[in-house]
Amino acid sequence: MSEKIRVLLSEEEVDRRIGEIGKQISEDYAGKSVHMICILKGGVCFTCELAKRITVPVSFDFMSVSSYGSGTESSGIVKIIKDLDEPLEGKDVLIVEDIIDSGRTLAYLVEVLKQRKPASIKICTLLDKPSRRVKKEVRVDYTCFSIPDEFVVGYGLDYDQKYRNLPYIGVVEFDD
């Protein structure tokens, strides 16, 4: 079985939308600084591109969490693989995700991070699949694109550790 990639969102569309979201975040955090928490691995490309477009002071930290195990469906059990390096107390936190699917991982993560007493927590995602949402209480503050329920790659998203480096968002299509 082989796969091919169909372009869902072009590099130009993604670039333009990240610029718009960066401008909105800059306006919302005017006079403050934003502490971006990049969710690894998929969030790296988006976090870097977004940070370049934010005009207020930015600091970074990284977290790795998993709820997938080995399949493509969320197991519902969230595990912190790499925790933050710095305390969050008093910081305006922006969690940066590549994609929000069921919302389980993010719901768990927000509860964990709230216990660390940040001044605020907001969520920014490159892609959102609202049709897959199980945790309805997850409130996404900044969404670049809402997409249909398809398996996507590119801009940090992978299939079997491949395609993360694509400069666009593509849909994996399998040949039988």
Side-chain angles (χ1 to χ4, degrees):
M1 181 164 59
S2 66
E3 67 267 0
K4 55 182 192 184
I5 309 301
R6 173 177 48 87
V7 176
L8 179 65
L9 298 164
S10 71
E11 182 175 3
E12 295 75 24
E13 288 174 285
V14 173
D15 190 58
R16 181 180 38 72
R17 186 67 181 136
I18 292 172
E20 293 167 0
I21 293 292
K23 184 176 187 283
Q24 186 182 347
I25 290 168
S26 299
E27 291 169 2
D28 292 352
Y29 285 88
K32 300 178 180 181
S33 58
V34 62
H35 187 68
M36 297 173 76
I37 297 177
C38 172
I39 306 303
L40 299 171
K41 297 177 186 171
V44 170
C45 295
F46 176 48
T47 300
C48 291
E49 290 301 317
L50 180 63
K52 289 192 280 186
R53 292 162 174 86
I54 295 175
T55 57
V56 299
V58 170
S59 56
F60 289 91
D61 209 339
F62 300 87
M63 219 174 176
S64 183
V65 294
S66 175
S67 67
Y68 280 94
S70 59
T72 57
E73 292 287 317
S74 175
S75 67
I77 301 164
V78 180
K79 186 168 75 173
I80 294 176
I81 297 162
K82 186 227 173 287
D83 207 340
L84 300 172
D85 294 329
E86 307 207 6
L88 294 182
E89 192 165 346
K91 294 181 180 177
D92 290 302
V93 169
L94 182 64
I95 299 170
V96 183
E97 270 279 27
D98 55 356
I99 189 166
I100 300 174
D101 199 304
S102 71
R104 284 188 188 108
T105 304
L106 214 45
Y108 174 82
L109 197 55
V110 167
E111 289 310 309
V112 166
L113 296 180
K114 276 183 183 175
Q115 295 169 16
R116 299 179 188 188
K117 300 182 176 73
S120 66
I121 296 179
K122 290 190 177 184
I123 297 167
C124 180
T125 188
L126 177 60
L127 304 173
D128 190 8
K129 285 186 184 178
S131 67
R132 303 265 303 159
R133 191 80 78 249
V134 173
K135 292 287 187 180
K136 302 288 184 199
E137 69 274 13
V138 170
R139 185 173 166 272
V140 183
D141 302 280
Y142 306 100
T143 301
C144 287
F145 300 97
S146 289
I147 62 167
D149 186 14
E150 296 185 282
F151 195 83
V152 290
V153 294
Y155 234 91
L157 294 134
D158 75 299
Y159 169 67
D160 199 21
Q161 295 299 326
K162 297 186 293 190
Y163 309 117
R164 286 190 194 276
N165 62 319
L166 295 177
Y168 58 86
I169 305 299
V171 176
V172 179
E173 296 179 338
F174 297 96
D175 298 325
D176 292 329

